[in-house]
Amino acid sequence: MMRFTLPRDLYYGKDALEVLKTLKGKKAMVVVGGGSMKRFGFLDKVEAYLKEAGMEVQLFEGVEPDPSVETVMKGAAAMREFEPDWIVAMGGGSPIDAAKAMWVFYEYPDCTFEQLITPFSFPELRQKAKFLAIPSTSGTATEVTAFSVITDYAKGIKYPLADFNITPDIAVVDPALAETMPPKLVAYTGMDALTHAIEAYVSTLNSPFTDPLAIKAIQMVNKYLVDSYNGNMGAREQMHYAQCLAGQAFSNALLGIVHSMAHKTGAAFSTGHIAHGCANAMYLPYVIKYNAKVAEARYADIARSIGIDGTDAECVETLRSRIDSFNKQMNIPKSLKEFGINEDEFKEKVAEISKNAVADACTGSNPREITPEVMEKLFNCVYYGTEVDF
Ligand code: FE
């Protein structure tokens, strides 16, 4: 038996935020990040709309990027005290991810992080509250997914939490919030969204329910991403919807090794963090070449859906150059070397990183199997920008 789960409601378009005025409930806890939502006036709006709906409102502010276990526990404690029947999470991926985990510990105070590591094993939520998510970036699509990533800094572990219980009840995809993104963030989050859609389409768990969402998302990214990067706000709006469609696809079809590789390299090098979307953008063309050995026809479907023609093999190659061209137009490097990763450090760490990447939760649904040895070869191609021929 398979399952396909999405939020009960999705509000989108200009002034979608105003739906908060009609929410039925008594108390809402609003969870936000570092301050951009406040600065741009969206937090005030959310608070005013919830009050207009007759709710008592409490804020939980300051959720950091890559939210910690401590932040989650602090938020859950604040929720236990305030007893909201709505959790309203707003911002980039981080505050929404953190709020999802707070929700679990609010409803189940005795639960531990270790108990949540096993995917799809959560206790039954919605005993105390429902969940509404408002994204301000156009990439993670956490407003519609069953995922949350929480970091245990003491143990140096990222917990990728996965369960349909944390798929929000309501997603509010208001394009005004996406207008606040700087161009670099547009590029990275947009390429993350493209990677979500492509990986979902070729995933071993792809289905007739996820395929149309993935293809439409890819078509929209193809059409709007570069314009959005260049400041066209109409295109920015379409990208906000495209990433949400990609999220609906990958929440149900899962991902592949582009994400495995990005997860394990994000914080691996002393020269600095590699942003998630930037890592995905760099690795995607290499992984397509590797996976095409078994998934050529699926990649060719993707290519044809954006007007590329030729044999399956030609389609895959043109699709790869299209991705290269997006990266080039948005100043994303082609290799880890070009990104600035030190060669000696790369050589020293690549075996360990490869082993970790193969063990990542996203590897299981990748169309082609991979061993740590082959992953190391793949990473070498990604580092030096050489052709994948295995
Ligand atoms: Fe991603």
Side-chain angles (χ1 to χ4, degrees):
M1 183 170 63
M2 304 299 287
R3 181 174 175 182
F4 180 85
T5 299
L6 293 175
R8 167 74 175 77
D9 275 306
L10 199 152
Y11 295 92
Y12 63 95
K14 193 172 165 350
D15 300 325
L17 214 50
E18 292 189 20
V19 72
L20 295 179
K21 295 177 187 172
T22 66
L23 222 52
K24 305 264 183 297
K26 292 192 180 69
K27 288 178 169 188
M29 175 76 97
V30 179
V31 181
V32 287
S36 70
M37 288 298 97
K38 195 178 203 162
R39 239 178 10 257
F40 289 107
F42 293 112
L43 185 56
D44 284 348
K45 270 191 183 168
V46 162
E47 221 181 328
Y49 293 162
L50 288 168
K51 284 181 179 159
E52 205 176 318
M55 280 199 252
E56 197 184 325
V57 181
Q58 200 176 95
L59 305 182
F60 187 90
E61 297 178 83
V63 174
E64 70 278 31
D66 295 323
S68 66
V69 171
E70 289 74 30
T71 298
V72 168
M73 292 311 183
K74 244 173 75 188
M79 285 175 188
R80 282 197 294 276
E81 179 115 336
F82 180 60
E83 300 188 315
D85 48 10
W86 275 102
I87 297 167
V88 174
M90 172 167 62
S94 298
I96 301 176
D97 277 11
K100 284 175 169 179
M102 291 170 190
W103 188 18
V104 180
F105 295 106
Y106 166 43
E107 299 205 356
Y108 294 90
D110 298 329
C111 202
T112 64
F113 262 99
E114 285 70 22
Q115 287 170 326
L116 302 181
I117 300 171
T118 314
F120 302 100
S121 67
F122 281 31
E124 196 66 26
L125 292 180
R126 297 168 175 77
Q127 310 298 317
K128 294 180 180 168
K130 290 203 275 188
F131 194 102
L132 182 147
I134 312 163
S136 66
T137 61
S138 305
T140 70
T142 184
E143 74 277 9
V144 291
T145 73
F147 309 119
S148 158
V149 182
I150 304 300
T151 305
D152 185 332
Y153 288 92
K155 292 185 186 152
I157 298 173
K158 271 200 172 181
Y159 290 109
L161 309 180
D163 195 288
F164 288 123
N165 269 290
I166 55 170
T167 301
D169 295 282
I170 301 180
V172 179
V173 188
D174 187 323
L177 279 76
E179 290 183 7
T180 63
M181 281 189 292
K184 207 176 207 175
L185 196 58
V186 172
Y188 293 169
T189 53
M191 290 307 288
D192 186 28
L194 179 64
T195 308
H196 292 155
I198 292 180
E199 293 213 285
Y201 191 80
V202 301
S203 157
T204 55
L205 291 170
N206 75 69
S207 76
F209 299 92
T210 54
D211 283 354
L213 295 163
I215 290 291
K216 183 67 185 175
I218 292 162
Q219 290 172 333
M220 291 172 77
V221 172
N222 179 58
K223 192 165 174 187
Y224 298 113
L225 177 54
V226 176
D227 286 348
S228 169
Y229 175 75
N230 289 322
N232 176 328
M233 291 303 159
R236 182 77 53 90
E237 174 177 3
Q238 295 304 314
M239 275 305 301
H240 209 38
Y241 305 152
Q243 64 86 30
C244 185
L245 292 176
Q248 293 171 37
F250 92 82
S251 187
N252 291 284
L254 307 187
L255 295 165
I257 60 171
V258 179
H259 270 77
S260 307
M261 295 165 77
H263 290 155
K264 303 309 184 208
T265 47
F269 301 106
S270 62
T271 39
H273 192 75
I274 309 173
H276 175 70
C278 179
N280 283 332
M282 288 190 287
Y283 307 160
L284 182 60
Y286 300 91
V287 170
I288 290 177
K289 185 75 191 288
Y290 175 76
N291 282 345
K293 274 248 162 72
V294 301
E296 190 176 69
R298 296 288 288 179
Y299 288 117
D301 283 351
I302 291 172
R304 291 189 184 105
S305 82
I306 52 171
I308 293 167
D309 53 27
T311 63
D312 281 4
E314 286 162 359
C315 281
V316 174
E317 276 318 296
T318 313
L319 175 65
R320 292 178 68 225
S321 20
R322 183 74 58 92
I323 295 162
D324 284 341
S325 128
F326 290 151
N327 285 345
K328 200 168 170 197
Q329 291 175 80
M330 298 188 296
N331 296 308
I332 294 172
K334 257 184 91 68
S335 66
L336 282 174
K337 191 170 185 182
E338 198 185 313
F339 180 86
I341 301 298
N342 175 282
E343 188 169 1
D344 289 337
E345 189 180 9
F346 171 77
K347 282 182 178 163
E348 187 192 308
K349 292 183 171 167
V350 65
E352 180 72 16
I353 290 171
S354 300
K355 205 174 77 194
N356 293 341
V358 170
D360 188 270
C362 292
T363 305
S365 46
N366 192 67
R368 189 176 170 196
E369 286 188 8
I370 192 157
T371 61
E373 293 71 34
V374 177
M375 181 60 90
E376 199 173 325
K377 280 170 72 177
L378 190 55
F379 264 121
N380 270 290
C381 294
V382 166
Y383 185 84
Y384 294 102
T386 49
E387 202 49 43
V388 176
D389 57 1
F390 43 86

